[in-house]
């Protein structure tokens, strides 16, 4: 009986070794027999998450043996995960810091979008806020200097209701970009910290006196192209003349806003680049193929209809050269 068991074990091992010898060897996610296959892991910015999910589904149609693991947790997590090898690609929505570049962060820009100031649609001062907007200085006094406790301290015509400021609790590209608008850093932002873009959008919807900031896709409905229920965009009075003029009024639809970002009518920051990062220049064939796919004209053509701004042809070529 023992001899039979030993024979069976030897036969099983021989079969396993034979199968492994015959199986195609996967190097860098590619085999001649099956094409591209394997896993790609990505994590990071909430701003990029919906777009990456779309790109991954389209990529799998061409390469059905590829699987994706995608998670949103903020740009800070994406950078940390990429630099520690936890994921293949980090998703970021802010500029890299010098120390991140020194650790090997290699950025490839894939899209543009913007961070926008948001308020509750039932704010007691809603009509006047939409007519006059807030200036850069007034916004800085809200988010950085914490100067105003009530709305009427900003403008005597406003109500005496409290100004409730919401910011991000997690290391976020949106927060870093919004702070950069005031030449500050995320840790300089004042307010109630909320995790994630969906969280801060919901907090603003739930509080009539709220003011905060969001990525475009968490404010506008992609089907109607208009803002979602209970939340709206607070326009920026760019020339500080006390009212929103026609050339400052580009928030009615998501198409109007992305067009303003594309044409540099909306300031940068808080308009910004959205990027992939890898630890060092990518050398894995599968990862490089996916990044190249994202930079194709067809993949970029999905952006506008989903609330993002595509790269120009010259920018696409510049990013492709990096690979």
């Amino acid at each position: 009986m023992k001899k039979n068991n030993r024979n069976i074990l030897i036969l099983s091992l021989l079969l396993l070794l034979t199968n492994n010898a015959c199986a195609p060897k996967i190097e860098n996610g590619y085999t001649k027999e099956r094409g591209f296959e394997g896993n790609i892991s990505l994590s990071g910015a909430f701003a990029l998450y919906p777009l990456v999910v779309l790109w991954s589904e389209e990529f799998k149609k061409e390469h059905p043996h590829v699987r994706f693991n995608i998670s949103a947790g903020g740009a800070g997590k994406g950078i940390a995960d990429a630099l520690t090898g936890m994921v293949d690609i980090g998703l970021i929505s802010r500029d890299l810091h010098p120390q991140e570049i020194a650790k090997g962060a290699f950025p490839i820009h894939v899209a543009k979008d913007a961070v926008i100031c948001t308020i509750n649609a039932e704010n007691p001062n809603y009509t006047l806020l939409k007519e006059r907007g807030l200036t850069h200085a007034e916004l800085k006094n809200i988010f950085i200097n914490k100067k105003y406790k009530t709305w009427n301290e900003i403008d005597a015509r406003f109500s005496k209701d409290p100004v409730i400021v919401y910011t991000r609790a997690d290391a976020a590209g949106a927060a870093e970009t919004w702070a950069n608008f005031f030449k500050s850093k995320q840790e300089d932002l004042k307010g109630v910290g909320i995790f994630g873009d969906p969280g801060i959008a919901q907090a603003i919807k739930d509080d009539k006196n709220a003011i905060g900031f969001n990525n475009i896709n968490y404010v506008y409905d992609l089907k109607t192209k208009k803002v979602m229920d209970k939340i709206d965009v607070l326009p920026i009075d760019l020339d500080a003349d006390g009212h929103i003029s026609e050339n400052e009024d580009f928030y009615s639809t998501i198409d109007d806003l992305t067009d303003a970002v594309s044409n540099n009518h909306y300031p940068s920051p808080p308009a910004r680049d959205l990027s992939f990062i890898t630890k060092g220049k990518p050398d894995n064939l599968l990862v490089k193929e996916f990044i190249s796919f994202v930079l194709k004209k067809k993949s970029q053509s999905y952006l506008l209809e989903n609330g993002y701004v595509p790269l120009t042809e010259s920018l696409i070529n510049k990013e492709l050269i990096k690979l």
Side-chain angles (χ1 to χ4, degrees), residues 84-267:
T84 57
M86 293 290 292
V87 298
D88 300 303
I89 298 173
L91 312 177
I92 66 169
S93 50
R94 62 163 173 80
D95 294 335
L96 286 170
H97 299 155
Q99 61 267 34
E100 293 163 346
I101 296 173
K103 291 179 181 178
F106 185 88
I108 298 164
H109 304 314
V110 295
K112 289 186 69 174
D113 83 333
V115 180
I116 48 180
C117 189
T118 45
I119 56 172
N120 186 288
E122 296 179 358
N123 187 292
N125 310 292
Y126 177 81
T127 301
L128 186 53
L129 279 169
K130 294 292 286 186
E131 289 175 359
R132 82 183 287 285
L134 292 180
T135 66
H136 178 274
E138 289 167 340
L139 289 169
K140 184 175 183 178
N141 281 331
I142 290 173
F143 286 97
I144 303 296
N145 300 327
K146 204 177 181 180
K147 181 178 178 180
Y148 310 120
K149 292 183 179 179
T150 59
W151 287 97
N152 68 328
E153 291 179 359
I154 303 171
D155 187 318
R157 294 174 294 172
F158 289 159
S159 69
K160 295 181 180 180
D161 294 283
V163 179
I164 308 298
V165 184
Y166 289 95
T167 184
R168 290 282 288 274
D170 51 315
E176 186 76 15
T177 301
W178 188 243
N180 196 20
F181 183 39
F182 311 113
K183 298 189 183 329
S184 299
K185 297 180 179 179
Q186 177 175 350
E187 51 265 36
D188 299 322
L189 293 171
K190 307 297 192 299
V192 180
I194 303 291
F195 178 83
D197 232 307
I200 195 170
Q202 189 59 52
I204 291 166
K205 291 177 183 180
D206 293 341
D207 188 340
K208 70 176 185 177
N209 291 306
I211 184 170
F213 52 87
N214 285 94
N215 297 308
I216 294 174
N217 278 286
Y218 294 91
V219 181
Y220 288 87
D221 185 315
L222 294 178
K223 292 181 179 178
T224 66
K225 304 291 186 179
K226 297 183 180 297
V227 292
M228 298 177 188
D229 291 339
K230 299 182 179 180
I231 193 169
D232 206 345
V233 185
L234 176 66
I236 302 174
D237 181 10
L238 297 171
D239 59 10
D241 67 351
H243 76 280
I244 299 301
S245 58
E246 186 176 345
N247 64 342
E248 295 171 319
D249 188 11
F250 35 67
Y251 305 96
S252 296
T253 68
I254 195 169
D255 292 341
D256 292 335
L257 180 52
T258 53
D259 185 60
V261 172
S262 179
N263 293 315
N264 298 317
H265 295 154
Y266 188 76

Side-chain angles (χ1 to χ4, degrees), residues 297-308:
K297 286 186 178 180
K298 183 179 178 182
S299 301
Q300 289 286 306
S301 71
Y302 304 138
L303 270 62
L304 284 175
E305 63 188 77
N306 287 283
Y308 299 86

Side-chain angles (χ1 to χ4, degrees), residues 36-43 49 51-71 87-89 91 276 284-294:
F36 287 100
E37 63 177 316
N39 300 299
I40 301 177
S41 55
L42 308 94
S43 79
Y49 177 80
L51 189 55
V52 170
V53 170
L54 173 63
W55 279 330
S56 69
E57 293 300 322
E58 292 301 314
F59 189 78
K60 285 191 290 185
K61 291 177 183 178
E62 296 184 15
H63 307 289
H65 303 300
V66 176
R67 294 172 297 279
F68 286 85
N69 181 9
I70 308 167
S71 61
V87 298
D88 300 303
I89 298 173
L91 312 177
F276 288 172
N284 180 278
L285 295 179
L286 176 57
V287 171
K288 289 175 69 174
E289 181 67 14
F290 177 63
I291 297 172
S292 297
F293 173 86
V294 162

